[in-house]
Amino acid sequence: MLNRFKPVLFRYPLRLALLALGSTALMSCVSTDVPPIEAQAAPDDATDEGGIWYVTDKVEKDLQTSAIVERDPALNDYVSTVACRVTGPEYCKDLRVYIVKQPYFNASMAPNGMMQVWTGLLLRAENEDQLAYVLGHEFAHYRQRHSLKQWRQAKNMSNASLIFSVGAAAAGAGAAGVLGQAAALARLYGFSREAERESDDLGFDFFVAAGYAPGEAARTWEYLIAEAAESSSRRKRKSVARASVFATHPVTTERVENLQAKAAALPAGTPRREAFLAVTKPFLQQWLEQDLTLRDFGSSLFLTNTLIEDGDALGVLYFHRAEIYRLRRADGDNDLALADYQTASQYDDAPPENWRQMGDALAKAGKTDEAKTAWATYLEKAPDAPDRLLIQSYLDPDGA
Amino acid sequence: MAHFNVSPRTFFAIIALIGLSACASISAVGPGPVEIGKSYRISTGEVWSKYPPQSRTNTAATMTIDGTILNTLSFVDGLKPGESIIYTSDRDKLIPKYRADMSASELVDFVLDSYSAQGLANGKMTDLRPEKFGTLDGYRFDFTGAYKSGLELSGTGKIAQQGDNLHIIIFYAPSEYYYGLRKDEVDGILASVSLL
Amino acid sequence: MAGSFFTLKQIRLLILIISMGAVVTACVTSSVNTTSNSHEAPKSGAQILLIQPDVELSLITASGLREPRADWSKQAQDLIIAEIEKNFAGNDHELRQHSLNMDDAHEVQLIKLHEAVGNTILLHRFFNQPLPSKKDKFDWSLGPGVATLADNYDADYALFIFARGAYASAARQATALVLAVAGVGVSTGDQAAFASLVNLKTGDIVWFNVTVTGSGVDMRKPSGAESVVKGLMKDNPLTNHTNDKAKS
């Protein structure tokens, strides 16, 4: 619209402008070829990397006082120790591992050494080796300074796409400008895949050097692919492990095969399971509960059945499987839920809520007396239950 | 309506966007009776700021005195089976949905799980007891939680089914100062429900 | 689509006009709010905790990405602190710097509550979302729980500062000039800051100010920091009183 009032000469200055713009953008093109970071090194404040660290240091401070960090000392000590095993003593001090209470399979690495391990990952790892592989992969991102490379790539890309999008916009071709940006973004993702591949390879080397069982690297991804195939989300079935760092950099068959091939060339080794289970077991019920807030019943069932096969913590697991059926409400789920609450009740580690839910399920099935017995057991097991008054009203509807 | 992710670091960016958009029509209500949707009426002791209904989250009204980060009182009027109180533009996203056959604890879980899906951290029901909702048999619940930033929250609410449909009133505020500041007022509002 | 494109372009031009105007005048605008609750004027010898200012400055790249700069941010933070200290030099109040004690859970909650209240004030007082329930009132408070801070640090007030700034790179300035010729306006920098003063007896936010400057004011330099802090500390009850006396 504005162009209508421009003199005809407009075309000429526009070309000149684009030419000049091209040269300014090229001038500010920065190198994405950066060497690995040294141990215990920090960037100069006057650099782009220094700025990125400054901001991520502040984000880290916020994270430290946030509501989503798991502060349990035993669990934190354990995960940090595994991280140090993988990084080696020199880089150990450079990483600070935070356990973040989020139900997705995810880990992330900030350029300043702030590593996040999400509880959805700890819930799904089968042993210390699988955890160690992911930590090694993330450490490789840090050591290779992938964030800095990616930032510089983004900067160069946006400078380049500026020429195109502004040029196209000024010429009145809005859609073409948008397409230009999409193409630039696509190239950014391509770069990230290279970084993922590099981290796969280096992470594997770190984790093998630390003495972990090589086959467990690929097994982590194999499990995720199998779980995603059972997901209730159509899109997740299509693209593995959505909402994780691995969403933008999908776990491709090619990546899994790469890790399998590397492992095949090495002695098998024995995965370390005992210590891992001992330290994660106290959190199992909490993490499963959080997983269920995602309402991905297919994934949750696959996960729970896998854990039941392993044979530990069966009271917690049967209770949890009953909870999945209760919430899913497919045909026959009421019966399946009731059966699992009853199975769970045979195990010492079933949580008190198992009896409340069993009571509700029995009442739904018309078995009022049995329901009352279950509710009464619940109040015995949890004298300070938050819903005590409600349950008492069930036991004594007349309020005597 | 619940927004549990507000952090000062992103705030300038957010307000810049809000500053550009037209100002939402926030109206003054109370002290006195306020009709919520088509089904019930409450009565306030103070002046509240009321945001218009949000059909996307099936919210009949959202009210605040000090600003929604500092206290939010939200109302749902007759949620139908299969509906949710979360808005998502992602049609493939799996979210908690209301069912008519839910038990009392399932109804409260439905509300708190919906809030958790929107970022409420460490949401935990701390009390659940029978309480009338007007003439309906309803339930009163208390809960605790936190914004992701770490600011701790306390909350209370009331739910009841009318036929197959669900009414929800839920209040939350930072545990530090603000929850206590408005607790008596909110208790009064929750006690004032009458069906239309 | 054409309509929205036109609007976007208009907005860009508007920004350009504003920022160019700011360059010429190097303007600093302030917007002060003071509590409507009853409060006593600060006693002489008041102890003030200056909570470590949150300052973040960035470089605007040719295409408009904002790249954080640690050196500028730290420099501006030092300059701002020095300027605020200068503000207090002429009176008998005592200013002390304080960084958050993360081991004190209650202190952490109070600081986070202040963030929430600050964000609320910004939204409802400065960004076109007035709350009818706050009509003719500015009574936001952190509540009497702030006594924790008063007791732990023997203080009467806490002063919070939050500042952001962005500065165009040479390539960005060239881009802006070139695009201006083509009729496209782009931002070449801006700065915004807010300050808040909390009474540590009542928890009341007794004074709150937002300052916005154009790209002509540069917080990285002493003179720029001086202008920003001057705008930022405008009409505050602690130093303003003495300033007035000095003037009269």
Side-chain angles (χ1 to χ4, degrees):
Chain A
M1 289 287 269
L2 279 176
N3 292 355
R4 191 185 299 168
F5 305 103
K6 294 261 175 202
V8 186
L9 265 176
F10 174 72
R11 279 167 184 278
Y12 181 61
L14 175 67
R15 289 234 176 92
L16 261 187
L18 289 177
L19 195 66
L21 184 58
S23 60
T24 60
L26 284 175
M27 254 165 35
S28 57
C29 197
V30 282
S31 169
T32 58
D33 187 18
V34 293
I37 194 164
E38 305 266 317
Q40 282 151 63
D44 190 313
D45 276 351
T47 60
D48 52 356
E49 193 173 22
I52 294 169
W53 279 49
Y54 181 76
V55 173
T56 39
D57 281 349
K58 290 213 284 186
V59 171
E60 183 171 348
K61 243 182 181 167
D62 284 347
L63 182 68
Q64 284 166 352
T65 54
S66 80
I68 53 173
V69 167
E70 175 57 63
R71 295 182 177 83
D72 180 76
L75 186 64
N76 277 282
D77 283 353
Y78 176 73
V79 176
S80 295
T81 306
V82 176
C84 279
R85 246 175 233 155
V86 178
T87 62
E90 284 166 8
Y91 283 95
C92 170
K93 287 186 199 120
D94 294 336
L95 298 195
R96 294 161 308 283
V97 186
Y98 297 91
I99 297 164
V100 176
K101 294 185 271 187
Q102 295 289 304
Y104 304 95
F105 186 99
N106 196 9
S108 70
M109 187 72 241
N112 68 338
M114 165 181 64
M115 187 195 277
Q116 294 188 23
V117 175
W118 289 15
T119 49
L121 186 158
L122 295 174
L123 175 61
R124 286 169 174 84
E126 284 177 291
N127 49 47
E128 184 173 312
D129 306 61
Q130 294 186 359
L131 169 65
Y133 172 66
V134 176
L135 298 182
H137 174 100
E138 296 303 326
F139 168 57
H141 282 312
Y142 171 80
R143 217 196 67 163
Q144 301 309 107
R145 294 155 99 194
H146 284 156
S147 298
L148 178 65
K149 283 186 192 172
Q150 203 159 343
W151 170 254
R152 290 187 175 174
Q153 185 91 352
K155 222 166 31 171
N156 292 343
M157 279 295 165
S158 74
N159 285 347
S161 75
L162 174 81
I163 306 168
F164 186 69
S165 62
V166 170
V178 172
L179 283 176
Q181 284 185 339
L185 278 176
R187 281 187 59 189
L188 250 185
Y189 283 127
F191 177 79
S192 297
R193 275 201 204 99
E194 286 164 30
E196 289 304 323
R197 175 62 188 258
E198 187 180 27
S199 287
D200 276 354
D201 289 345
L202 276 173
F204 184 85
D205 295 345
F206 296 147
F207 127 109
V208 169
Y212 288 105
E216 296 305 306
R219 210 147 294 149
T220 308
W221 301 142
E222 285 164 17
Y223 170 80
L224 280 182
I225 290 168
E227 185 190 303
E230 295 297 318
S231 169
S232 302
S233 154
R234 207 177 334 126
R235 190 180 39 230
K236 194 171 167 185
R237 285 198 300 273
K238 280 188 201 156
S239 75
V240 177
R242 165 109 194 112
S244 73
V245 72
F246 308 107
T248 40
H249 324 307
V251 181
T252 56
T253 336
E254 181 244 321
R255 278 177 74 188
V256 178
E257 282 166 0
N258 170 41
L259 291 172
Q260 283 167 339
K262 285 160 146 307
L266 295 166
T270 314
R272 304 176 202 185
R273 188 165 156 77
E274 295 308 315
F276 180 80
L277 281 188
V279 79
T280 53
K281 204 171 172 175
F283 297 92
L284 183 62
Q285 197 195 335
Q286 186 189 325
W287 293 345
L288 285 169
E289 239 171 68
Q290 273 182 11
D291 183 65
L292 204 40
T293 64
L294 301 179
R295 295 297 193 269
D296 186 342
F297 303 125
S299 278
S300 288
L301 264 183
F302 182 84
L303 170 64
T304 310
N305 284 330
T306 306
L307 292 171
I308 285 175
E309 271 172 41
D310 291 342
D312 293 299
L314 291 176
V316 170
L317 292 169
Y318 281 112
F319 165 68
H320 182 70
R321 196 169 72 180
E323 292 283 273
I324 300 170
Y325 290 134
R326 170 177 69 77
L327 283 164
R328 192 175 68 173
R329 283 179 158 71
D331 281 347
D333 274 357
N334 281 345
D335 296 339
L336 289 172
L338 180 54
D340 273 347
Y341 288 128
Q342 284 169 329
T343 308
S345 72
Q346 323 270 316
Y347 293 92
D348 288 343
D349 62 336
E353 296 79 39
N354 185 65
W355 280 268
R356 180 190 65 198
Q357 303 295 39
M358 190 161 77
D360 285 6
L362 286 162
K364 220 180 223 175
K367 299 176 181 170
T368 319
D369 289 343
E370 285 175 66
K372 285 189 175 180
T373 311
W375 285 326
T377 310
Y378 167 58
L379 290 187
E380 273 166 38
K381 286 179 180 284
D384 299 324
D387 51 353
R388 168 167 276 276
L389 285 175
L390 176 76
I391 301 299
Q392 274 169 348
S393 79
Y394 291 166
L395 292 173
D396 183 8
D398 303 326
Chain B
M1 203 49 217
H3 43 91
F4 300 99
N5 297 309
V6 179
S7 92
R9 235 165 275 300
T10 52
F11 196 75
F12 268 131
I14 296 168
I15 50 186
L17 287 174
I18 293 169
L20 288 175
S21 70
C23 124
S25 57
I26 310 173
S27 57
V29 294
V34 183
E35 287 191 5
I36 303 297
K38 293 179 179 129
S39 311
Y40 58 100
R41 174 192 296 129
I42 51 116
S43 185
T44 76
E46 294 184 40
V47 179
W48 288 70
S49 298
K50 180 170 167 281
Y51 289 79
Q54 290 205 317
S55 56
R56 301 199 300 189
T57 55
N58 293 302
T59 306
T62 301
M63 295 174 18
T64 181
I65 294 180
D66 300 293
T68 52
I69 307 172
L70 301 176
N71 37 44
T72 287
L73 179 62
S74 242
F75 301 87
V76 173
D77 164 29
L79 192 71
K80 295 185 190 68
E83 287 182 340
S84 118
I85 54 171
I86 296 176
Y87 169 71
T88 167
S89 57
D90 179 355
R91 291 175 68 187
D92 201 34
K93 192 175 158 103
L94 306 165
I95 52 175
K97 288 189 176 137
Y98 165 63
R99 305 288 172 202
D101 68 349
M102 284 176 161
S103 68
S105 63
E106 284 185 307
L107 291 171
V108 176
D109 284 350
F110 160 69
V111 175
L112 293 187
D113 283 356
S114 299
Y115 273 52
S116 298
Q118 291 170 96
L120 174 70
N122 307 330
K124 187 173 176 246
M125 188 243 290
T126 55
D127 198 273
L128 172 61
R129 56 197 182 272
E131 195 175 291
K132 288 282 179 189
F133 188 103
T135 52
L136 300 170
D137 287 331
Y139 306 99
R140 177 72 183 267
F141 60 96
D142 298 328
F143 66 99
T144 56
Y147 288 117
K148 279 190 172 163
S149 73
L151 182 62
E152 286 162 11
L153 298 170
S154 299
T156 189
K158 204 174 202 178
I159 42 175
Q161 287 174 299
Q162 187 167 21
D164 275 350
N165 298 345
L166 181 68
H167 302 317
I168 307 170
I169 306 176
I170 187 164
F171 174 77
Y172 62 86
S175 310
E176 178 71 33
Y177 185 53
Y178 279 89
Y179 185 74
L181 180 67
R182 303 299 174 199
K183 181 157 193 327
D184 289 350
E185 166 76 2
V186 170
D187 281 342
I189 289 172
L190 290 175
S192 74
V193 176
S194 64
L195 298 178
L196 293 174
Chain C
M1 279 313 284
S4 63
F5 175 61
F6 179 63
T7 310
L8 184 67
K9 202 161 184 177
Q10 267 189 323
I11 291 167
R12 280 180 179 164
L13 277 174
L14 192 68
I15 291 169
L16 181 71
I17 291 160
I18 291 169
S19 60
M20 283 189 156
V23 171
V24 175
T25 59
C27 69
V28 178
T29 58
S30 292
S31 180
V32 174
N33 281 257
T34 49
T35 186
S36 56
N37 294 346
S38 65
H39 73 286
E40 292 171 20
K43 293 197 181 77
S44 69
Q47 304 286 310
I48 296 105
L49 285 187
L50 172 61
I51 311 294
Q52 188 177 37
D54 181 341
V55 181
E56 210 171 287
L57 304 190
S58 49
L59 170 82
I60 309 178
T61 67
S63 61
L65 286 178
R66 290 181 177 219
E67 182 169 280
R69 282 287 297 252
D71 52 343
W72 297 351
S73 303
K74 289 175 184 173
Q75 193 180 338
Q77 183 169 316
D78 290 347
L79 289 172
I80 286 171
I81 292 172
E83 284 302 328
I84 288 171
E85 279 172 344
K86 228 191 267 172
N87 266 254
F88 279 89
N91 67 35
D92 59 358
H93 301 317
E94 195 195 324
L95 184 77
R96 274 178 285 139
Q97 292 186 46
H98 176 70
S99 33
L100 173 64
N101 175 8
M102 302 226 282
D103 295 330
D104 184 334
H106 191 210
E107 181 175 332
V108 169
Q109 285 299 306
L110 288 166
I111 302 296
K112 287 183 187 292
L113 181 62
H114 179 266
E115 285 175 5
V117 172
N119 287 343
T120 299
I121 294 171
L122 284 174
L123 177 62
H124 295 296
R125 285 283 154 164
F126 299 95
F127 289 91
N128 206 22
Q129 294 257 314
L131 287 176
S133 50
K134 289 289 186 192
K135 193 164 181 271
D136 304 325
K137 269 189 229 170
F138 188 91
D139 61 353
W140 279 284
S141 180
L142 308 187
V146 292
T148 297
L149 292 173
D151 294 346
N152 287 354
Y153 306 111
D154 186 27
D156 303 301
Y157 292 89
L159 177 62
F160 292 82
I161 308 275
F162 183 97
R164 291 290 179 268
Y167 308 89
S169 63
R172 177 63 170 182
Q173 278 163 351
T175 306
L177 274 177
V178 165
L179 288 180
V181 174
V184 181
V186 295
S187 167
T188 57
D190 44 69
Q191 297 173 111
F194 76 82
S196 149
L197 185 67
V198 181
N199 178 325
L200 293 184
K201 236 182 223 96
T202 59
D204 291 350
I205 311 277
V206 292
W207 166 90
F208 190 97
N209 183 24
V210 175
T211 289
V212 179
T213 79
S215 50
V217 176
D218 188 342
M219 249 192 279
R220 298 169 296 177
K221 297 186 181 123
S223 59
E226 189 185 355
S227 318
V228 169
V229 170
K230 201 176 152 203
L232 197 56
M233 297 300 285
K234 188 171 178 253
D235 294 343
N236 87 79
L238 290 171
T239 59
N240 194 59
H241 183 63
T242 17
N243 287 348
D244 284 351
K245 258 198 288 190
K247 270 181 219 158
S248 60

